[in-house]
Amino acid sequence: MRRGGDLQGLAARPATLFARGRFALHEGLRVLARARGVRRVWLPAWLCAPVPEAVVAADLGVAWYDIDEQLAPRLDAIRPVRGDSLLVIHYFGLAQPLSLVRRFCDAHGLALIEDCAHALSCRAEAAGVGTVGDVAVFSPRKQAAVAGGGILVVAEDLAGHVRAPAVGGLGDAREMARLGLMLLERVAFAAGVNVLALKDRLPVIDVTDAAARPMTTATDYGHPPAPSRLVAHALGHVDWEALIRRRRQTYAALAGALARVPTVTLAIPQPPPGSTPLALPLWTAGADRLARALRRRGIEATCWPWGEQPPFDHARFPGAARWLTASVWLPLTAPLSPRRLARYVDAVADAAREQHAHTGARAA
Ligand SMILES: Cc1ncc(COP(=O)(O)O)c(C=O)c1O
């Protein structure tokens, strides 16, 4: 079953197109509440605001869990009750091994939700991300030059419950703004201009200030925009298999080169099987400072999710706190020629050296 455009290349199971990932998640949760009696969702403490917002908007409760150094759920601290479900995030496309998690869910009667907003799979990968959960959600705009879109993938027995929105129009104002920015960025990038300083001063589209407004949302889940015809068309024209291959090669090349830089500590030197990495994580003291130093050098590094992180107790969730405060993510979206790879590594080494000198000086 395919609804709303050609999603065939992307998913190995029934897939439905929404305007954005959050609307796909909201619908997936509604389906789980209706078909499986889900009333609450366990969420990792390290996440961006749209995830808990979609849960709250679906009238479900939230419980929090911690993650470990490999980004996996700390299952030992999860105390499920009847009506619970578990949401796992494949952060930045690093595929979480799910066999243990699936067994835990089955043993406790939990529905499993795979948040694949940063991840990518394709039909050729029958056991890829998004194939284990009862529900999985993708956000293809983070992967390729498409202005929006969210994909809901569900287990066969849930497919009849999904309310598919009608595809129509060219997209809402956010999608048009994103399209315009994407084009401008591409032109600037091709001309060798670093637009990140300017971009960092612009309001970010779709972002909620999670610290100021925890668990409330400006998104109208009651009246989601229609998935745009333009996005549906674009999704059918991306060569996903080639993109997946390229990202894996880029991660390996960058990780290999950075492993030889003494001031850099790779957080995950080798991505788990099935990963399509969107970024490569480093451990560092003062992550925010390093990310900003990299952005000044034209590398769009992030301390995810920056202002979109809902507040949480760092002592209770030390794993999540470490990822939030001590990791920097290096982007992998652009293909790296050997020359560009060398320039990239030099820039990271330079920024990391500066960071080392700064933290060393502060410690002295
Ligand atoms: C982990 C995660 N899940 C879900 C979403 C929602 O995706 P979208 O922005 O397409 O609504 C995002 C992005 O905001 C995300 O980072």
Side-chain angles (χ1 to χ4, degrees):
M1 179 187 327
R2 276 179 283 121
R3 307 182 191 117
D6 184 2
L7 308 179
Q8 185 165 3
L10 268 169
R13 297 198 293 171
T16 309
L17 183 64
F18 288 79
R20 284 200 282 290
R22 63 202 67 189
F23 299 122
L25 176 59
H26 184 253
E27 175 60 9
L29 295 169
R30 190 196 64 78
V31 167
L32 285 177
R34 201 181 166 83
R36 299 270 172 89
V38 165
R39 290 190 296 274
R40 186 169 77 154
V41 188
W42 285 86
L43 297 176
W46 186 48
L47 85 182
C48 61
V51 181
E53 286 172 3
V55 176
V56 172
D59 263 339
L60 300 177
V62 173
W64 301 99
Y65 69 81
D66 201 12
I67 52 173
D68 68 16
E69 293 212 341
Q70 300 300 310
L71 299 162
R74 299 281 316 265
L75 296 175
D76 51 333
I78 294 179
R79 304 269 175 269
V81 298
R82 206 179 145 85
D84 277 0
S85 60
L86 177 69
L87 181 143
V88 173
I89 299 180
H90 297 290
Y91 295 98
F92 289 92
L94 298 173
Q96 278 308 306
L98 289 182
S99 51
L100 202 68
V101 174
R102 182 75 256 188
R103 253 183 283 142
F104 177 84
C105 288
D106 291 345
H108 293 89
L110 293 168
L112 176 60
I113 302 151
E114 284 184 76
D115 184 329
C116 311
H118 304 168
L120 192 55
S121 189
C122 64
R123 179 151 250 187
E125 302 202 310
V129 295
T131 61
V132 176
D134 302 277
V135 159
V137 173
F138 293 85
S139 177
R141 71 180 171 84
K142 299 177 178 58
Q143 306 290 344
V146 287
I151 296 172
L152 173 63
V153 174
V154 297
E156 295 282 347
D157 67 304
L158 295 175
H161 293 273
V162 176
R163 288 191 203 141
V167 175
L170 293 179
D172 62 2
R174 283 184 168 96
E175 276 171 23
M176 293 320 241
R178 197 179 290 282
L179 197 61
L181 279 175
M182 239 159 53
L183 290 174
L184 276 176
E185 244 183 290
R186 289 206 150 196
V187 171
F189 186 74
V193 179
N194 178 10
V195 288
L196 293 177
L198 176 66
K199 198 174 160 189
D200 287 349
R201 262 182 249 131
L202 294 175
V204 183
I205 300 166
D206 265 355
V207 159
T208 323
D209 183 347
R213 300 191 301 133
M215 310 292 265
T216 63
T217 177
T219 305
D220 185 357
Y221 285 92
H223 303 91
S228 97
R229 216 177 279 288
L230 222 64
V231 167
H233 178 79
L235 288 177
H237 286 80
V238 177
D239 183 345
W240 298 107
E241 285 178 44
L243 196 149
I244 289 171
R245 243 188 343 266
R246 205 174 60 226
R247 288 274 192 72
R248 290 174 181 168
Q249 285 164 357
T250 307
Y251 194 102
L254 188 58
L258 288 175
R260 294 190 286 275
V261 178
T263 44
V264 165
T265 310
L266 296 173
I268 300 194
Q270 199 154 12
S275 298
T276 301
L278 197 53
L280 177 148
L282 304 179
W283 290 127
T284 177
D288 188 83
R289 197 170 187 281
L290 178 60
R292 290 185 199 283
L294 287 164
R295 293 173 82 87
R296 279 198 300 280
R297 289 163 172 83
I299 295 173
E300 199 165 6
T302 55
C303 287
W304 191 79
W306 258 323
E308 278 209 280
Q309 170 68 54
F312 67 92
D313 179 352
H314 288 208
R316 198 171 145 221
F317 302 106
R322 182 162 191 226
W323 280 106
L324 178 66
T325 59
S327 75
V328 168
W329 292 81
L330 305 177
L332 300 172
T333 37
L336 291 177
S337 64
R339 231 183 76 215
R340 291 227 342 245
L341 174 66
R343 281 216 309 262
Y344 196 143
V345 172
D346 282 350
V348 175
D350 189 42
R353 215 176 304 115
E354 188 182 287
Q355 173 82 349
H356 239 65
H358 176 80
T359 45
R362 273 204 330 183

